[in-house]
Amino acid sequence: ALPYEDAERVVVPRARSEAARRADAPLSWREYRDLRATPGVFAAIGAVDFEYPDLTGVREPEQLRLGRVSGELFRALGVRPLAGRAFTPEEMASNAPVAMLDAELWRKHFNGDAAILGKPVLLDGRPVTVVG
């Protein structure tokens, strides 16, 4: 079972990709926007796309699996940050350099200290402010 509220109601839409010759390709951002714009299909819908930046400026640099998320992802999954907050609509609209750390990373590199909130971390050498 997924560790989310109402996990039995969580679905992962997939697309048929002729280019990839498979029926389980991830949705494109355009397909996601089209699905989101279709009323009555989902109570909430969110999206995530992954990249792999380097976290530096910490005792042990680490390559991360970073998920770029849509604004409704956390609401769709029924999750809230352990500390701090989720992204604001303004941050999402402007693609602001803000981040939420997962619990494992927060504990490993920052000892689970909430003092990291509001401070920058370096991802691929660029400062990104931790909000949650």
Side-chain angles (χ1 to χ4, degrees):
L2 297 171
Y4 306 116
E5 182 179 300
D6 296 325
E8 70 280 357
R9 297 184 67 204
V10 175
V11 296
V12 179
R14 306 299 267 173
R16 175 157 182 79
S17 170
E18 293 301 326
R21 293 195 175 132
R22 63 181 207 218
D24 64 345
L27 295 180
S28 69
W29 282 102
R30 187 169 74 201
E31 290 167 322
Y32 158 74
R33 284 192 306 268
D34 290 346
L35 200 57
R36 187 181 68 190
T38 306
V41 176
F42 297 105
I45 185 169
V48 63
D49 189 24
F50 294 100
E51 58 185 70
Y52 300 88
D54 293 320
L55 172 67
T56 57
V58 293
R59 188 173 31 226
E60 295 177 40
E62 181 178 350
Q63 185 176 49
L64 304 178
R65 181 176 185 214
L66 180 141
R68 291 195 173 273
V69 302
S70 66
E72 281 199 336
L73 181 68
F74 301 110
R75 185 172 81 78
L77 295 175
V79 297
R80 289 184 220 148
L82 294 172
R85 60 174 176 78
F87 306 121
T88 66
E90 294 79 22
E91 289 166 341
M92 295 300 296
S94 69
N95 201 22
V98 293
M100 294 175 63
L101 307 177
D102 73 15
E104 180 182 340
L105 183 73
W106 182 42
R107 290 182 188 108
K108 178 179 179 181
H109 289 289
F110 307 103
N111 297 316
D113 187 352
I116 190 63
L117 296 171
K119 295 188 178 153
V121 297
L122 294 176
L123 298 179
D124 283 343
R126 294 185 312 264
V128 177
T129 302
V130 176
V131 298

